[in-house]
């Protein structure tokens, strides 16, 4: 998405769980479209800072996640349409990882390459 407000650059942050890219304001007002039920970022600047990162590599524009081999390779084929980072540097707080595991999920860091 192009930044709003002319030539001013909007800094995007990447979710540490799903790697979707949004502005800080979007995470604050809407939360993460994929992970909000676990991350609970809406309305909390502290939680946005803990659960997102400014450090990421590359971008993927995901239009049809269920039909994309790139989405399957990035493990975002069951996520919402949007712009995603290829790799995100950082780890979420321990309580987030515990919440994922308590729901039967597996936390996979977004900054490593798996064989």
């Amino acid at each position: 998405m192009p930044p709003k407000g002319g030539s001013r650059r909007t800094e995007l942050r990447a979710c540490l769980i799903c790697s979707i890219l949004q502005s800080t304001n979007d995470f604050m007002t809407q939360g993460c479209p994929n992970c909000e039920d676990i991350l609970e970022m809406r309305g909390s600047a502290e939680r946005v800072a803990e659960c997102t990162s400014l450090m990421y590599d590359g971008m993927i524009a995901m239009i049809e996640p269920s039909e994309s081999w790139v989405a399957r390779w990035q493990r975002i084929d069951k996520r919402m349409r949007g712009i995603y980072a290829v790799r995100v540097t950082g780890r979420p707080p321990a309580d987030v990882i515990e919440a994922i595991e308590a729901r039967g999920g597996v936390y996979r860091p977004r900054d490593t390459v798996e064989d």
Side-chain angles (χ1 to χ4, degrees):
M1 280 196 273
K4 297 175 185 173
S7 64
R8 212 174 92 216
R9 182 175 170 251
T10 301
E11 285 192 344
L12 297 177
R13 298 187 71 91
C15 175
L16 292 171
I17 302 301
C18 71
S19 76
I20 197 163
L21 294 170
Q22 296 187 138
S23 68
T24 301
N25 187 53
D26 286 344
F27 278 118
M28 281 283 298
T29 58
Q30 303 163 22
C32 178
N34 298 307
C35 311
E36 187 58 20
D37 59 325
I38 293 174
L39 299 178
E40 300 174 346
M41 289 189 279
R42 191 177 298 130
S44 172
E46 182 179 339
R47 195 68 169 168
V48 170
E50 290 176 341
C51 298
T52 65
S53 176
L54 286 168
M55 296 173 45
Y56 60 87
D57 296 316
M59 293 181 171
I60 299 167
M62 196 53 56
I63 307 299
E64 294 293 339
S66 62
E67 298 178 19
S68 169
W69 70 266
V70 174
R72 284 191 302 276
W73 176 62
Q74 287 292 113
R75 298 177 188 223
I76 56 174
D77 55 315
K78 298 195 178 18
R79 306 291 188 180
M80 302 290 286
R81 292 180 181 191
I83 307 295
Y84 289 82
V86 174
R87 185 171 33 199
V88 182
T89 301
R91 295 287 191 278
D95 68 294
V96 171
I97 296 171
E98 290 167 8
I100 292 168
E101 292 170 350
R103 294 176 182 206
V106 176
Y107 168 67
R108 289 189 173 85
R110 307 300 289 178
D111 61 355
T112 58
V113 177
E114 294 182 17
D115 293 326

